[in-house]
Amino acid sequence: MSSSTKASDAKKAVTLLDVATRAGVDRSVVSRVLSDDPRLSIRDETRARVLAAVRELDYRPNALARSLRTRRADTYGLLIPDFGNPVYASIIQGAEAAAIARDCVLMTGSVGAGPAQAAHHLDVIGRGRVDGLLLAGDHTAGASLEELDRRGIPWLLVNRRLPRARRWVVLDDEEAAGLAVRHLIGLGHERIAHVAGPRDADTARRRMRGWRTAMRAAGLSTPASAAVVSDYTPEGGAAATRELLTRRDRPTAILVANIAAAIGTLAVCGELGVSVPGELSVVAVHDLALAAFLRPALTTVRTPLEKLGERAIELLASTAPDAPIEEVVTGSLELVDRGSTAPPRGAAA
Amino acid sequence: MSSSTKASDAKKAVTLLDVATRAGVDRSVVSRVLSDDPRLSIRDETRARVLAAVRELDYRPNALARSLRTRRADTYGLLIPDFGNPVYASIIQGAEAAAIARDCVLMTGSVGAGPAQAAHHLDVIGRGRVDGLLLAGDHTAGASLEELDRRGIPWLLVNRRLPRARRWVVLDDEEAAGLAVRHLIGLGHERIAHVAGPRDADTARRRMRGWRTAMRAAGLSTPASAAVVSDYTPEGGAAATRELLTRRDRPTAILVANIAAAIGTLAVCGELGVSVPGELSVVAVHDLALAAFLRPALTTVRTPLEKLGERAIELLASTAPDAPIEEVVTGSLELVDRGSTAPPRGAAA
DNA sequence: CTGAAAGCGCTTACAG
DNA sequence: CTGAAAGCGCTTACAG
C-alpha cells in the first residue's frame, strides 16, 4: 500500500510529452485529440495511437498548467458561515453537484472562526484560484464585494440579498412562511405568533413579511408583540419562545423562522409543560431528517436548499460578471405535516 | 458594485512584471524580496521601492503559476461521506483551521451522491491539484488507495482504520465508550445494552470493544443479545432501540455508539412511554449543541473531533508519504451529564 | 495531415 | 548588488 519500493522514488507524473513520445507525434497533437479540437484533421490510425498511449500511461492533464494557459481555474469558491449548520450543508451539496456537472471543482470555506479566517479566504481567492465566488449567508462584509470587483472576480450572494448588490439568488422565503401560516389558519388558529430571525438577516425579513401578509389576508392582526426576534439556533428559539409563552394573550400557534430555532421552541414547551400540539401548534421553515425524531415530530415547510446551491453555480458560471442577477428559486415548497400542528383547543371540529 | 465602467474591461490581474517595471528592477528580484530569499543581498532602498510597488499595485502572486513551478499545490483534499453529518462538520472545521495555519487551502468533497461523484473527486485529485488527501469515514473503497499510491499522492485515513493501510488517525473510541459505561456503572446499572454502529465500521468495532471491556472489568456480562447493530442515523437508532426494549430482560441503560442514532433512541422511548432516565438511562458518543435541547437533554461523551481534523492535516503535511502513521488522538474526552442518565429504579440511594 | 513556437506567471540556479 | 535565462506542463494560432 503506502510502502513504495524505495523511499526515494517520488513518482513523476506522466506528462503530455511522455504520451506524445510514445505515440510518435507532437505534444500539440495529443492535446488537440484530447480536447476534440474540431479544426484538427488527423488520420484515424494516428488518433488511435494517441488514445492508446493515453490509456497505457493513464495520463491526466495537469490542471494547474492548463489553467495557467487557459486562464480558467475550473474552480468555484463557496463561502459559508459554518459547516455545522445543516441548512448550509444542503446548499453545499447542491453546489457541489452542479460544479461536478460542469467538470469543475468546488472549494468551500467557512468564516465561522472569525475575520482572520475570512480574510485568508479572500486573499487566496485573489490569487487566481477561482473563477467565481458564492457568498452564502450573512457574513459578507461589504468590503469584500468591492475587493472582488476590483480583482474582477465574479461573485453571487446566495440566500441573502443586499440593497446595493444586485447579484443574488434566494429562496421564496415569503411564500414558505405564508404556506405555514395558511396551514395554521386552515386548522382554525387566529393568534399565530412568529419567532423571527435576526433583525439584520434578509431571510428573516422576508419570512416575517410572509407571516404578516398571510395573516392580514385572513383578516387577522399582527401586533408587534406577536413577533419576537431570535437567532437561528436552539438557544435563540428557546429564549424567544419563553418570552411568547409568558405573555397574557398567549398564542395558540407559532411559526418559527428556522428549524434549528424550533428545536429550542419544542424544548421550552416540554420544560414549561405546554403540550404540543394540544395547547400550542408549532411549524418551522426548512426540513431536516431529524424533524421526524423530535418529540413531538416537527411539522415543517420543506425548502429546495439543494436546488438553491445548484442554481447558484449555474448562474455564476453562465452569466456575465457585471450583469445583475435577481432570482428567486421557486417551486418545491411543501408543508410536511408531522403532528406538531393541530386545531386549537376548543375549536369547532 | 458589480457595475463596471465598461462591460468589456475584463480586469487583467497585476503580474510580477508590472511590479518589477514600476520598481525599476527585474521580476526575479521582486520574487525574491517577497519570498524573503536569504541569499538575496539587496540595498534597503531598492527593497523599499519593490515593497512600495507591491503595495501600490496590490499585487498577489498567481497561485497556479507558482504551484506549477514549485510542484506544490499548497492545497489539501478532504473526502467525507456527507456534508449533512455534523460529526464530519467538526472534522472539516479542524482541518480547515490547520490548513489555513500552514498557508494552504482545503478542498472538501463529499461522496454521498454516489460512486460517480467519488470517481470525479479521485479524477480531479489525479490532476495535480492537491498535495495530499484525507479520507474520512467509511467510503474509501480499497481501489482508491492503490490509485493514489500509483500517482504518488500521500493520503491518510481519518476516523477509520483499514488492516492493510497503515496510515490512519483516529479518536480513542474505546476509551470514549468505556467512559460512558463506567458512568452508568457508577450510577448502579448492571444491565447495560449497546446500540452499536454498522458491522463494517471501524469506529463501531472499537466502541463495542470499549463497552465490553468496561463491563467485564466490573464483573458484568455482555451477552451477544445486549448489543444491536445500527447505522449512525436516527432511523437506525430507533429500530435498534425498539428491538432492545421488547426483549424480556430489558436493559436499565443503553450506550448508543453515535449521537445521531441516540436521537432515534429518545424518540422510540417517547413513543413507547418508556421514561428516560426513570426507566432507562441513555448516553451517546459525540456531543452536539443540539443535545442540550432534546427531551430529555442527552448525556454524551464529548470527543475532540476538531482536533482530529487538525491533527490529520498536520500529519499529512509533515510526514513522508510512505511512512506509516498510526495515531490515536487522546485526551479531551469528557462526559457531559445532561440528565438522560440516573440511577436505575429501585437502586439503593 | 502534423509539427514547431510562443507564452500563461511564476521561481531559482547561474552570471556578472 | 542585480539581471537574464531556463523551465514547470499545458494550449493555440500559425506554418508547412
Side-chain angles (χ1 to χ4, degrees), chain A residues 16 27-28 31 39 59 66 69:
Chain A
L16 209 43
R27 289 141 66 204
S28 60
S31 176
R39 279 172 310 191
Y59 168 71
R66 166 184 281 172
R69 180 64 230 244

PDB file of all heavy atoms in Angstrom, chain A residues 16 27-28 31 39 59 66 69, chain D residues 8-15:
ATOM      1  N   LEU A  16       2.320  15.347 -20.994  1.00  0.00           N
ATOM      2  CA  LEU A  16       1.938  15.353 -22.395  1.00  0.00           C
ATOM      3  C   LEU A  16       3.083  14.859 -23.268  1.00  0.00           C
ATOM      4  O   LEU A  16       2.883  14.115 -24.241  1.00  0.00           O
ATOM      5  CB  LEU A  16       1.591  16.794 -22.781  1.00  0.00           C
ATOM      6  CG  LEU A  16       0.579  17.066 -23.882  1.00  0.00           C
ATOM      7  CD1 LEU A  16      -0.624  16.173 -23.767  1.00  0.00           C
ATOM      8  CD2 LEU A  16       0.153  18.522 -23.832  1.00  0.00           C
ATOM      9  N   ARG A  27       3.430  16.961 -29.018  1.00  0.00           N
ATOM     10  CA  ARG A  27       2.553  17.210 -27.872  1.00  0.00           C
ATOM     11  C   ARG A  27       1.254  17.888 -28.287  1.00  0.00           C
ATOM     12  O   ARG A  27       0.175  17.581 -27.767  1.00  0.00           O
ATOM     13  CB  ARG A  27       3.239  18.139 -26.876  1.00  0.00           C
ATOM     14  CG  ARG A  27       4.379  17.524 -26.122  1.00  0.00           C
ATOM     15  CD  ARG A  27       5.504  18.527 -25.944  1.00  0.00           C
ATOM     16  NE  ARG A  27       5.102  19.629 -25.091  1.00  0.00           N
ATOM     17  CZ  ARG A  27       5.665  20.837 -25.114  1.00  0.00           C
ATOM     18  NH1 ARG A  27       6.667  21.088 -25.949  1.00  0.00           N
ATOM     19  NH2 ARG A  27       5.257  21.781 -24.315  1.00  0.00           N
ATOM     20  N   SER A  28       1.374  18.818 -29.229  1.00  0.00           N
ATOM     21  CA  SER A  28       0.179  19.585 -29.597  1.00  0.00           C
ATOM     22  C   SER A  28      -0.895  18.675 -30.186  1.00  0.00           C
ATOM     23  O   SER A  28      -2.089  18.923 -30.006  1.00  0.00           O
ATOM     24  CB  SER A  28       0.544  20.688 -30.589  1.00  0.00           C
ATOM     25  OG  SER A  28       1.098  20.132 -31.757  1.00  0.00           O
ATOM     26  N   SER A  31      -2.701  17.005 -27.319  1.00  0.00           N
ATOM     27  CA  SER A  31      -3.586  17.975 -26.673  1.00  0.00           C
ATOM     28  C   SER A  31      -4.881  18.158 -27.459  1.00  0.00           C
ATOM     29  O   SER A  31      -5.972  18.127 -26.899  1.00  0.00           O
ATOM     30  CB  SER A  31      -2.854  19.316 -26.545  1.00  0.00           C
ATOM     31  OG  SER A  31      -3.708  20.283 -26.002  1.00  0.00           O
ATOM     32  N   ARG A  39     -10.905  21.596 -35.418  1.00  0.00           N
ATOM     33  CA  ARG A  39     -10.057  22.030 -36.530  1.00  0.00           C
ATOM     34  C   ARG A  39      -8.852  21.116 -36.735  1.00  0.00           C
ATOM     35  O   ARG A  39      -7.934  21.437 -37.475  1.00  0.00           O
ATOM     36  CB  ARG A  39      -9.596  23.468 -36.298  1.00  0.00           C
ATOM     37  CG  ARG A  39     -10.649  24.480 -36.700  1.00  0.00           C
ATOM     38  CD  ARG A  39     -10.228  25.865 -36.285  1.00  0.00           C
ATOM     39  NE  ARG A  39      -9.808  25.862 -34.870  1.00  0.00           N
ATOM     40  CZ  ARG A  39      -9.584  26.978 -34.167  1.00  0.00           C
ATOM     41  NH1 ARG A  39      -9.723  28.151 -34.730  1.00  0.00           N
ATOM     42  NH2 ARG A  39      -9.225  26.899 -32.915  1.00  0.00           N
ATOM     43  N   TYR A  59      -2.722   8.736 -18.528  1.00  0.00           N
ATOM     44  CA  TYR A  59      -2.380  10.165 -18.489  1.00  0.00           C
ATOM     45  C   TYR A  59      -3.540  11.045 -18.034  1.00  0.00           C
ATOM     46  O   TYR A  59      -4.676  10.862 -18.485  1.00  0.00           O
ATOM     47  CB  TYR A  59      -1.916  10.607 -19.887  1.00  0.00           C
ATOM     48  CG  TYR A  59      -1.811  12.104 -20.043  1.00  0.00           C
ATOM     49  CD1 TYR A  59      -0.809  12.812 -19.399  1.00  0.00           C
ATOM     50  CD2 TYR A  59      -2.724  12.806 -20.823  1.00  0.00           C
ATOM     51  CE1 TYR A  59      -0.715  14.180 -19.536  1.00  0.00           C
ATOM     52  CE2 TYR A  59      -2.634  14.172 -20.974  1.00  0.00           C
ATOM     53  CZ  TYR A  59      -1.634  14.864 -20.319  1.00  0.00           C
ATOM     54  OH  TYR A  59      -1.553  16.211 -20.458  1.00  0.00           O
ATOM     55  N   ARG A  66      -2.802  23.676 -17.253  1.00  0.00           N
ATOM     56  CA  ARG A  66      -3.898  24.026 -18.158  1.00  0.00           C
ATOM     57  C   ARG A  66      -4.539  25.350 -17.755  1.00  0.00           C
ATOM     58  O   ARG A  66      -4.793  26.220 -18.591  1.00  0.00           O
ATOM     59  CB  ARG A  66      -4.942  22.909 -18.153  1.00  0.00           C
ATOM     60  CG  ARG A  66      -6.248  23.339 -18.778  1.00  0.00           C
ATOM     61  CD  ARG A  66      -7.292  22.274 -18.682  1.00  0.00           C
ATOM     62  NE  ARG A  66      -7.076  21.246 -19.706  1.00  0.00           N
ATOM     63  CZ  ARG A  66      -7.748  20.121 -19.772  1.00  0.00           C
ATOM     64  NH1 ARG A  66      -8.676  19.853 -18.859  1.00  0.00           N
ATOM     65  NH2 ARG A  66      -7.523  19.271 -20.735  1.00  0.00           N
ATOM     66  N   ARG A  69      -2.592  28.409 -18.609  1.00  0.00           N
ATOM     67  CA  ARG A  69      -2.662  28.717 -20.030  1.00  0.00           C
ATOM     68  C   ARG A  69      -4.046  29.262 -20.426  1.00  0.00           C
ATOM     69  O   ARG A  69      -4.165  30.261 -21.128  1.00  0.00           O
ATOM     70  CB  ARG A  69      -2.346  27.430 -20.793  1.00  0.00           C
ATOM     71  CG  ARG A  69      -2.370  27.503 -22.297  1.00  0.00           C
ATOM     72  CD  ARG A  69      -1.305  28.437 -22.813  1.00  0.00           C
ATOM     73  NE  ARG A  69      -1.931  29.342 -23.747  1.00  0.00           N
ATOM     74  CZ  ARG A  69      -1.658  29.411 -25.043  1.00  0.00           C
ATOM     75  NH1 ARG A  69      -0.681  28.725 -25.555  1.00  0.00           N
ATOM     76  NH2 ARG A  69      -2.326  30.216 -25.822  1.00  0.00           N
TER      77      ARG A  69
ATOM     78  P    DC D   8      10.836  21.504 -17.467  1.00  0.00           P
ATOM     79  OP1  DC D   8      11.738  20.353 -17.331  1.00  0.00           O
ATOM     80  OP2  DC D   8      10.232  21.811 -18.773  1.00  0.00           O
ATOM     81  O5'  DC D   8       9.646  21.344 -16.434  1.00  0.00           O
ATOM     82  C5'  DC D   8       9.813  21.512 -15.036  1.00  0.00           C
ATOM     83  C4'  DC D   8       8.515  22.023 -14.473  1.00  0.00           C
ATOM     84  O4'  DC D   8       8.513  23.457 -14.584  1.00  0.00           O
ATOM     85  C3'  DC D   8       7.286  21.572 -15.246  1.00  0.00           C
ATOM     86  O3'  DC D   8       6.803  20.367 -14.655  1.00  0.00           O
ATOM     87  C2'  DC D   8       6.296  22.721 -15.055  1.00  0.00           C
ATOM     88  C1'  DC D   8       7.190  23.932 -14.721  1.00  0.00           C
ATOM     89  N1   DC D   8       7.249  25.017 -15.722  1.00  0.00           N
ATOM     90  C2   DC D   8       6.931  26.321 -15.344  1.00  0.00           C
ATOM     91  O2   DC D   8       6.595  26.551 -14.180  1.00  0.00           O
ATOM     92  N3   DC D   8       7.004  27.313 -16.271  1.00  0.00           N
ATOM     93  C4   DC D   8       7.381  27.029 -17.521  1.00  0.00           C
ATOM     94  N4   DC D   8       7.443  28.046 -18.384  1.00  0.00           N
ATOM     95  C5   DC D   8       7.703  25.711 -17.917  1.00  0.00           C
ATOM     96  C6   DC D   8       7.619  24.742 -16.998  1.00  0.00           C
ATOM     97  P    DG D   9       6.615  19.076 -15.539  1.00  0.00           P
ATOM     98  OP1  DG D   9       6.380  17.974 -14.608  1.00  0.00           O
ATOM     99  OP2  DG D   9       7.679  19.006 -16.552  1.00  0.00           O
ATOM    100  O5'  DG D   9       5.253  19.362 -16.310  1.00  0.00           O
ATOM    101  C5'  DG D   9       4.068  19.552 -15.563  1.00  0.00           C
ATOM    102  C4'  DG D   9       3.000  20.066 -16.480  1.00  0.00           C
ATOM    103  O4'  DG D   9       3.388  21.369 -16.960  1.00  0.00           O
ATOM    104  C3'  DG D   9       2.752  19.220 -17.722  1.00  0.00           C
ATOM    105  O3'  DG D   9       1.371  19.003 -17.832  1.00  0.00           O
ATOM    106  C2'  DG D   9       3.304  20.062 -18.859  1.00  0.00           C
ATOM    107  C1'  DG D   9       3.053  21.453 -18.330  1.00  0.00           C
ATOM    108  N9   DG D   9       3.881  22.489 -18.915  1.00  0.00           N
ATOM    109  C8   DG D   9       5.175  22.361 -19.381  1.00  0.00           C
ATOM    110  N7   DG D   9       5.656  23.478 -19.867  1.00  0.00           N
ATOM    111  C5   DG D   9       4.626  24.400 -19.708  1.00  0.00           C
ATOM    112  C6   DG D   9       4.575  25.777 -20.067  1.00  0.00           C
ATOM    113  O6   DG D   9       5.461  26.466 -20.582  1.00  0.00           O
ATOM    114  N1   DG D   9       3.347  26.346 -19.736  1.00  0.00           N
ATOM    115  C2   DG D   9       2.310  25.665 -19.149  1.00  0.00           C
ATOM    116  N2   DG D   9       1.207  26.376 -18.904  1.00  0.00           N
ATOM    117  N3   DG D   9       2.344  24.372 -18.818  1.00  0.00           N
ATOM    118  C4   DG D   9       3.523  23.806 -19.126  1.00  0.00           C
ATOM    119  P    DC D  10       0.675  18.040 -18.845  1.00  0.00           P
ATOM    120  OP1  DC D  10       0.248  16.859 -18.141  1.00  0.00           O
ATOM    121  OP2  DC D  10       1.523  17.916 -20.047  1.00  0.00           O
ATOM    122  O5'  DC D  10      -0.621  18.892 -19.158  1.00  0.00           O
ATOM    123  C5'  DC D  10      -0.805  19.457 -20.426  1.00  0.00           C
ATOM    124  C4'  DC D  10      -1.193  20.902 -20.282  1.00  0.00           C
ATOM    125  O4'  DC D  10       0.025  21.662 -20.128  1.00  0.00           O
ATOM    126  C3'  DC D  10      -1.862  21.448 -21.526  1.00  0.00           C
ATOM    127  O3'  DC D  10      -3.276  21.364 -21.329  1.00  0.00           O
ATOM    128  C2'  DC D  10      -1.393  22.874 -21.619  1.00  0.00           C
ATOM    129  C1'  DC D  10      -0.098  22.900 -20.805  1.00  0.00           C
ATOM    130  N1   DC D  10       1.148  23.090 -21.590  1.00  0.00           N
ATOM    131  C2   DC D  10       1.436  24.364 -22.095  1.00  0.00           C
ATOM    132  O2   DC D  10       0.628  25.286 -21.907  1.00  0.00           O
ATOM    133  N3   DC D  10       2.584  24.563 -22.782  1.00  0.00           N
ATOM    134  C4   DC D  10       3.440  23.538 -22.959  1.00  0.00           C
ATOM    135  N4   DC D  10       4.586  23.771 -23.621  1.00  0.00           N
ATOM    136  C5   DC D  10       3.163  22.232 -22.461  1.00  0.00           C
ATOM    137  C6   DC D  10       2.018  22.051 -21.797  1.00  0.00           C
ATOM    138  P    DT D  11      -4.209  21.237 -22.589  1.00  0.00           P
ATOM    139  OP1  DT D  11      -5.580  21.095 -22.082  1.00  0.00           O
ATOM    140  OP2  DT D  11      -3.624  20.235 -23.493  1.00  0.00           O
ATOM    141  O5'  DT D  11      -4.079  22.658 -23.299  1.00  0.00           O
ATOM    142  C5'  DT D  11      -4.637  23.788 -22.659  1.00  0.00           C
ATOM    143  C4'  DT D  11      -4.496  24.986 -23.568  1.00  0.00           C
ATOM    144  O4'  DT D  11      -3.093  25.189 -23.907  1.00  0.00           O
ATOM    145  C3'  DT D  11      -5.235  24.872 -24.906  1.00  0.00           C
ATOM    146  O3'  DT D  11      -5.796  26.157 -25.144  1.00  0.00           O
ATOM    147  C2'  DT D  11      -4.137  24.515 -25.907  1.00  0.00           C
ATOM    148  C1'  DT D  11      -2.950  25.272 -25.317  1.00  0.00           C
ATOM    149  N1   DT D  11      -1.589  24.742 -25.615  1.00  0.00           N
ATOM    150  C2   DT D  11      -0.642  25.618 -26.069  1.00  0.00           C
ATOM    151  O2   DT D  11      -0.860  26.799 -26.270  1.00  0.00           O
ATOM    152  N3   DT D  11       0.596  25.066 -26.282  1.00  0.00           N
ATOM    153  C4   DT D  11       0.972  23.746 -26.080  1.00  0.00           C
ATOM    154  O4   DT D  11       2.118  23.375 -26.296  1.00  0.00           O
ATOM    155  C5   DT D  11      -0.075  22.877 -25.604  1.00  0.00           C
ATOM    156  C7   DT D  11       0.233  21.436 -25.360  1.00  0.00           C
ATOM    157  C6   DT D  11      -1.290  23.403 -25.396  1.00  0.00           C
ATOM    158  P    DT D  12      -7.038  26.348 -26.102  1.00  0.00           P
ATOM    159  OP1  DT D  12      -8.024  27.146 -25.356  1.00  0.00           O
ATOM    160  OP2  DT D  12      -7.383  25.045 -26.698  1.00  0.00           O
ATOM    161  O5'  DT D  12      -6.425  27.248 -27.251  1.00  0.00           O
ATOM    162  C5'  DT D  12      -5.522  28.300 -26.895  1.00  0.00           C
ATOM    163  C4'  DT D  12      -4.798  28.768 -28.134  1.00  0.00           C
ATOM    164  O4'  DT D  12      -3.530  28.065 -28.253  1.00  0.00           O
ATOM    165  C3'  DT D  12      -5.534  28.512 -29.455  1.00  0.00           C
ATOM    166  O3'  DT D  12      -5.300  29.634 -30.292  1.00  0.00           O
ATOM    167  C2'  DT D  12      -4.841  27.271 -30.012  1.00  0.00           C
ATOM    168  C1'  DT D  12      -3.413  27.556 -29.568  1.00  0.00           C
ATOM    169  N1   DT D  12      -2.489  26.402 -29.503  1.00  0.00           N
ATOM    170  C2   DT D  12      -1.145  26.631 -29.643  1.00  0.00           C
ATOM    171  O2   DT D  12      -0.679  27.740 -29.813  1.00  0.00           O
ATOM    172  N3   DT D  12      -0.357  25.508 -29.571  1.00  0.00           N
ATOM    173  C4   DT D  12      -0.783  24.200 -29.383  1.00  0.00           C
ATOM    174  O4   DT D  12       0.020  23.270 -29.333  1.00  0.00           O
ATOM    175  C5   DT D  12      -2.217  24.035 -29.239  1.00  0.00           C
ATOM    176  C7   DT D  12      -2.780  22.660 -29.030  1.00  0.00           C
ATOM    177  C6   DT D  12      -2.985  25.130 -29.312  1.00  0.00           C
ATOM    178  P    DA D  13      -6.516  30.192 -31.170  1.00  0.00           P
ATOM    179  OP1  DA D  13      -7.297  31.070 -30.272  1.00  0.00           O
ATOM    180  OP2  DA D  13      -7.166  29.069 -31.879  1.00  0.00           O
ATOM    181  O5'  DA D  13      -5.780  31.116 -32.249  1.00  0.00           O
ATOM    182  C5'  DA D  13      -4.953  32.168 -31.795  1.00  0.00           C
ATOM    183  C4'  DA D  13      -3.647  32.179 -32.561  1.00  0.00           C
ATOM    184  O4'  DA D  13      -2.948  30.934 -32.303  1.00  0.00           O
ATOM    185  C3'  DA D  13      -3.825  32.278 -34.082  1.00  0.00           C
ATOM    186  O3'  DA D  13      -2.884  33.218 -34.586  1.00  0.00           O
ATOM    187  C2'  DA D  13      -3.551  30.846 -34.572  1.00  0.00           C
ATOM    188  C1'  DA D  13      -2.530  30.373 -33.539  1.00  0.00           C
ATOM    189  N9   DA D  13      -2.472  28.930 -33.379  1.00  0.00           N
ATOM    190  C8   DA D  13      -3.508  28.051 -33.237  1.00  0.00           C
ATOM    191  N7   DA D  13      -3.143  26.792 -33.103  1.00  0.00           N
ATOM    192  C5   DA D  13      -1.769  26.856 -33.163  1.00  0.00           C
ATOM    193  C6   DA D  13      -0.781  25.856 -33.086  1.00  0.00           C
ATOM    194  N6   DA D  13      -1.055  24.560 -32.924  1.00  0.00           N
ATOM    195  N1   DA D  13       0.506  26.256 -33.175  1.00  0.00           N
ATOM    196  C2   DA D  13       0.768  27.563 -33.327  1.00  0.00           C
ATOM    197  N3   DA D  13      -0.077  28.597 -33.416  1.00  0.00           N
ATOM    198  C4   DA D  13      -1.338  28.160 -33.326  1.00  0.00           C
ATOM    199  P    DC D  14      -2.902  33.634 -36.138  1.00  0.00           P
ATOM    200  OP1  DC D  14      -2.519  35.052 -36.202  1.00  0.00           O
ATOM    201  OP2  DC D  14      -4.161  33.126 -36.755  1.00  0.00           O
ATOM    202  O5'  DC D  14      -1.694  32.747 -36.688  1.00  0.00           O
ATOM    203  C5'  DC D  14      -0.415  32.860 -36.077  1.00  0.00           C
ATOM    204  C4'  DC D  14       0.524  31.869 -36.705  1.00  0.00           C
ATOM    205  O4'  DC D  14       0.204  30.532 -36.246  1.00  0.00           O
ATOM    206  C3'  DC D  14       0.474  31.807 -38.243  1.00  0.00           C
ATOM    207  O3'  DC D  14       1.766  32.079 -38.748  1.00  0.00           O
ATOM    208  C2'  DC D  14       0.011  30.375 -38.550  1.00  0.00           C
ATOM    209  C1'  DC D  14       0.492  29.637 -37.294  1.00  0.00           C
ATOM    210  N1   DC D  14      -0.209  28.355 -37.017  1.00  0.00           N
ATOM    211  C2   DC D  14       0.552  27.196 -36.809  1.00  0.00           C
ATOM    212  O2   DC D  14       1.789  27.265 -36.853  1.00  0.00           O
ATOM    213  N3   DC D  14      -0.087  26.015 -36.566  1.00  0.00           N
ATOM    214  C4   DC D  14      -1.412  25.973 -36.518  1.00  0.00           C
ATOM    215  N4   DC D  14      -1.982  24.787 -36.272  1.00  0.00           N
ATOM    216  C5   DC D  14      -2.205  27.148 -36.729  1.00  0.00           C
ATOM    217  C6   DC D  14      -1.576  28.306 -36.974  1.00  0.00           C
ATOM    218  P    DA D  15       1.966  32.287 -40.322  1.00  0.00           P
ATOM    219  OP1  DA D  15       2.601  33.605 -40.508  1.00  0.00           O
ATOM    220  OP2  DA D  15       0.713  31.930 -41.034  1.00  0.00           O
ATOM    221  O5'  DA D  15       3.042  31.162 -40.646  1.00  0.00           O
ATOM    222  C5'  DA D  15       3.219  30.132 -39.697  1.00  0.00           C
ATOM    223  C4'  DA D  15       4.309  29.216 -40.069  1.00  0.00           C
ATOM    224  O4'  DA D  15       3.872  27.890 -39.663  1.00  0.00           O
ATOM    225  C3'  DA D  15       4.618  29.070 -41.556  1.00  0.00           C
ATOM    226  O3'  DA D  15       5.948  28.566 -41.683  1.00  0.00           O
ATOM    227  C2'  DA D  15       3.563  28.054 -42.020  1.00  0.00           C
ATOM    228  C1'  DA D  15       3.483  27.120 -40.798  1.00  0.00           C
ATOM    229  N9   DA D  15       2.125  26.616 -40.552  1.00  0.00           N
ATOM    230  C8   DA D  15       0.940  27.312 -40.606  1.00  0.00           C
ATOM    231  N7   DA D  15      -0.109  26.586 -40.331  1.00  0.00           N
ATOM    232  C5   DA D  15       0.408  25.322 -40.066  1.00  0.00           C
ATOM    233  C6   DA D  15      -0.186  24.101 -39.711  1.00  0.00           C
ATOM    234  N6   DA D  15      -1.494  23.959 -39.548  1.00  0.00           N
ATOM    235  N1   DA D  15       0.628  23.021 -39.529  1.00  0.00           N
ATOM    236  C2   DA D  15       1.946  23.186 -39.676  1.00  0.00           C
ATOM    237  N3   DA D  15       2.640  24.299 -40.009  1.00  0.00           N
ATOM    238  C4   DA D  15       1.784  25.324 -40.188  1.00  0.00           C
TER     239       DA D  15
END
